[in-house]
Amino acid sequence: QVQLVESGGGLVQAGGSLRLSCAASGRTFSGSAMGWFRQAPGKEREFVARINWSSSNAYYADPVKGRFTISRDNAKNTVYLQMNSLKPEDTAVYYCAKAVGGSLLRSVSGYDYWGQGTQVTVSS
């Protein structure tokens, strides 16, 4: 079992920044890629970003490229999502998740453990 707990969400004005954290406990996520997804009201959960174990590769959804940065600190069992230049359309519940293997990078099917989510609200 892996437990994932997100934090750092909140209310911010458009153009502002937030940093989300995802702390892992239990059986460690050693060797696993980690991802961030988000889900807005009435919409499906969508891929945001993914980082591999060594932090040598990161992938981003087109809407967040150049604004969001995913990183991790394996010594602290923590994954981060730095979000800059936030827009109202970034409003959603943000989830971190542990990847299963190396495929389905952008699909929810490619992840087996999920956090409870943290709300991000961007006002215009």
Side-chain angles (χ1 to χ4, degrees):
Q1 282 284 67
V2 174
Q3 291 80 42
L4 303 174
V5 179
E6 301 96 337
S7 61
L11 174 64
V12 64
Q13 288 188 333
S17 299
L18 284 174
R19 188 176 84 152
L20 306 183
S21 299
C22 172
S25 61
R27 188 167 67 91
T28 68
F29 59 10
S30 178
S32 297
M34 296 291 293
W36 285 96
F37 285 73
R38 66 187 183 186
Q39 188 167 17
K43 294 188 177 181
E44 293 188 351
R45 193 168 298 189
E46 65 175 6
F47 171 78
V48 174
R50 173 184 170 117
I51 188 168
N52 67 345
W53 168 251
S54 65
S55 300
S56 60
N57 287 301
Y59 305 91
Y60 297 92
D62 286 343
V64 308
K65 278 182 183 177
R67 301 187 298 121
F68 291 11
T69 302
I70 188 172
S71 62
R72 66 191 296 166
D73 184 338
N74 292 334
K76 296 182 178 180
N77 286 343
T78 302
V79 180
Y80 304 98
L81 185 68
Q82 177 67 44
M83 306 186 296
N84 299 328
S85 302
L86 283 161
K87 305 175 181 180
E89 51 264 44
D90 294 318
T91 295
V93 177
Y94 283 71
Y95 300 89
C96 71
K98 186 185 78 66
V100 179
S103 62
L104 299 175
L105 301 182
R106 300 168 186 263
S107 170
V108 295
S109 299
Y111 299 79
D112 57 354
Y113 289 97
W114 295 81
Q116 84 290 346
T118 185
Q119 177 70 47
V120 171
T121 303
V122 184
S123 62
S124 58

